[in-house]
Amino acid sequence: MPITHLNEIHDCLTLALDATERPSGYSQSEREARSYVRAALRRVGKLMEVTA
């Protein structure tokens, strides 16, 4: 996968986390969803390191 696509995916995942951030806390399902997004973000980051 080209690095430009990985950068786009990384940016979208980051924006998703930023857009759903709340200081008042999260429900269980929201915590799980944010956990999956963070895991995907880490995975994309590792792929970007290998590609670079």
Side-chain angles (χ1 to χ4, degrees), residues 33-44:
R34 288 177 57 81
S35 174
Y36 292 133
V37 172
R38 285 192 303 275
L41 194 54
R42 285 190 301 273
R43 177 78 174 148
V44 169

Side-chain angles (χ1 to χ4, degrees), residues 15-42:
L15 287 172
L17 280 177
D18 289 348
T20 58
E21 189 170 331
R22 288 191 315 209
S24 61
Y26 306 98
S27 68
Q28 178 63 30
S29 60
E30 289 170 326
R31 284 193 300 275
E32 288 178 23
R34 288 177 57 81
S35 174
Y36 292 133
V37 172
R38 285 192 303 275
L41 194 54
R42 285 190 301 273

